[in-house]
């Protein structure tokens, strides 16, 4: 899928792509002030759009709804033949002891044998984040491990 990126001087950047068969385009405007607008063009007119302003948290939540399940599904399909290996997405919620902290601070793999293989933030997937990656509220962590390891990982992210 080709995403068209259009600089918007003084505003930010528009990123959109065509929807098959509808004559519409869908995308976002990443504003310089950190906010994001969801955009959907009118049929046959890519310049006339409906815009919905979203906070960073709302944009991250939408990205998680759109991106994380597909990534989890892809990983699950690839691991289908591996016994007792599961994939789950876990959220860094507001108030998590790890919001604003480094991924390495969790000591996730050492404590649970589960591994954080990707992070979905603001519609972008960050593969293989290292221990110096700073997590923020709204991040969706893609975690691979045993059922028990994934349960322990979820507890750590909530309780520390």
């Amino acid at each position: 899928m080709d995403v068209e990126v259009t600089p918007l001087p003084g505003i930010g950047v528009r990123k959109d792509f065509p929807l098959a068969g509808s004559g519409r385009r869908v995308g976002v405007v990443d504003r310089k002030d950190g906010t994001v607008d969801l955009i959907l063009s009118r049929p046959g007119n890519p310049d006339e759009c409906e815009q919905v302003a979203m906070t960073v948290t709302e944009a991250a939540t939408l990205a998680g709804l759109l991106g994380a399940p597909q990534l989890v599904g892809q990983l699950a399909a690839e691991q289908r033949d591996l016994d007792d290996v599961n994939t789950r997405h876990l959220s860094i919620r507001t108030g998590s002891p790890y919001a604003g902290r480094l991924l390495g601070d969790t000591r996730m793999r050492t404590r649970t044998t589960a591994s954080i293989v990707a992070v979905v933030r603001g519609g972008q997937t960050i593969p293989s984040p290292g221990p110096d990656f700073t997590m923020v509220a709204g991040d969706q962590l893609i975690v691979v491990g045993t059922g028990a390891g994934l349960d322990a990982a979820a507890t750590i992210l909530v309780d520390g």
Side-chain angles (χ1 to χ4, degrees):
M1 177 77 45
D2 290 328
V3 174
E4 187 174 316
V5 178
T6 307
L8 302 171
I11 298 171
V13 178
R14 175 180 170 154
K15 302 173 193 170
D16 64 345
F17 62 91
L19 296 174
S22 72
R24 296 181 132 196
R25 297 182 70 82
V26 67
V28 296
V29 174
D30 288 325
R31 295 182 172 273
K32 288 184 175 185
D33 66 3
T35 61
V36 177
D37 290 353
L38 178 64
I39 57 173
L40 180 63
S41 72
R42 303 239 185 255
N45 187 351
D47 294 325
E48 188 178 343
C49 294
E50 296 177 45
Q51 287 187 231
V52 177
M54 296 188 295
T55 66
V56 172
T57 302
E58 291 165 341
T61 300
L62 179 60
L65 292 174
L66 295 173
Q70 286 79 8
L71 182 57
V72 169
Q74 179 183 352
L75 288 169
E78 291 172 359
Q79 297 166 355
R80 191 167 312 168
D81 296 330
L82 301 176
D83 291 335
D84 205 28
V85 175
N86 302 292
T87 304
R88 190 180 301 171
H89 79 274
L90 302 173
S91 299
I92 298 293
R93 299 185 189 277
T94 302
S96 167
Y98 291 103
R101 291 185 53 197
L102 300 177
L103 185 138
D105 291 347
T106 66
R107 296 180 30 246
M108 188 68 68
R109 186 165 160 70
T110 301
R111 294 168 68 186
T112 68
T113 70
S115 296
I116 299 169
V117 298
V119 176
V120 178
R121 176 186 290 168
Q124 302 295 318
T125 301
I126 302 152
S128 304
D132 59 342
F133 178 83
T134 301
M135 298 176 289
V136 298
D139 281 352
Q140 299 288 312
L141 309 182
I142 310 304
V143 186
V144 174
T146 64
L150 294 172
D151 291 342
T155 299
I156 286 170
L157 294 174
V158 172
D159 299 333

